[in-house]
């Protein structure tokens, strides 16, 4: 009976750990907050900030809306590439991935 309790506790702990590990390795997508700015460097690292209203207004003058889903990929050496998603097939694949 005692070993059964240990097995149940260990199983629950393993299940929780596997879920946390899966979320960490698979990458989760989340929506940006209103006003948030995200920068992506060629080596793949990213940064985000919430600019003040004046800075945000200046940045919006340079901004263009995204018209369709966009994909980026990092190669084995760490360089980041933007994938052309201008075709219907690529857009469908991108949207499928983003869901």
């Amino acid at each position: 009976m005692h070993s059964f309790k240990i097995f149940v506790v260990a199983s629950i702990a393993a299940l929780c750990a596997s879920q946390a590990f899966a979320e960490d390795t698979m990458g989760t997508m989340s929506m940006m907050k209103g006003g948030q700015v995200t920068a992506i460097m060629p080596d793949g690292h990213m940064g985000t900030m919430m600019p003040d209203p004046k800075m945000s207004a200046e940045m919006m003058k340079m901004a263009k809306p995204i018209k369709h889903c966009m994909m980026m990929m990092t190669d084995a050496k760490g360089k980041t590439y933007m994938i052309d998603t201008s075709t219907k097939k690529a857009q469908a694949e991108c949207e499928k991935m983003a869901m």
Side-chain angles (χ1 to χ4, degrees), residues 4-5 12-13 19 26 30 37 46 50 54 78-79 85:
F4 180 73
K5 287 180 185 178
I12 292 171
Q19 289 294 325
M26 294 301 289
S30 61
V37 177
M46 297 171 50
M50 292 292 289
K54 183 180 177 186
K79 189 168 183 177
T85 56

Side-chain angles (χ1 to χ4, degrees), residues 13-46:
L15 180 63
C16 292
S18 67
Q19 289 294 325
F21 181 74
E23 288 179 8
D24 186 42
T25 58
M26 294 301 289
T28 55
M29 299 284 295
S30 61
M31 291 184 59
M32 293 173 61
K33 297 177 183 78
Q36 180 178 343
V37 177
T38 301
I40 303 170
M41 296 298 290
D43 67 356
H45 78 268
M46 297 171 50

Side-chain angles (χ1 to χ4, degrees), residues 1-91:
M1 185 67 173
H2 183 66
S3 60
F4 180 73
K5 287 180 185 178
I6 292 172
F7 174 76
V8 170
V9 170
S11 297
I12 292 171
L15 180 63
C16 292
S18 67
Q19 289 294 325
F21 181 74
E23 288 179 8
D24 186 42
T25 58
M26 294 301 289
T28 55
M29 299 284 295
S30 61
M31 291 184 59
M32 293 173 61
K33 297 177 183 78
Q36 180 178 343
V37 177
T38 301
I40 303 170
M41 296 298 290
D43 67 356
H45 78 268
M46 297 171 50
T48 60
M49 68 181 257
M50 292 292 289
D52 59 58
K54 183 180 177 186
M55 184 182 213
S56 183
E58 288 296 316
M59 292 176 124
M60 282 303 285
K61 291 177 185 175
M62 300 182 291
K64 295 178 185 174
I66 296 174
K67 296 184 180 182
H68 56 81
C69 186
M70 297 174 66
M71 290 172 45
M72 300 202 183
M73 180 179 184
T74 305
D75 68 5
K77 295 179 182 177
K79 189 168 183 177
T80 303
Y81 297 87
M82 192 161 101
I83 299 170
D84 179 15
T85 56
S86 59
T87 66
K88 293 268 185 204
K89 183 179 178 183
Q91 286 179 25

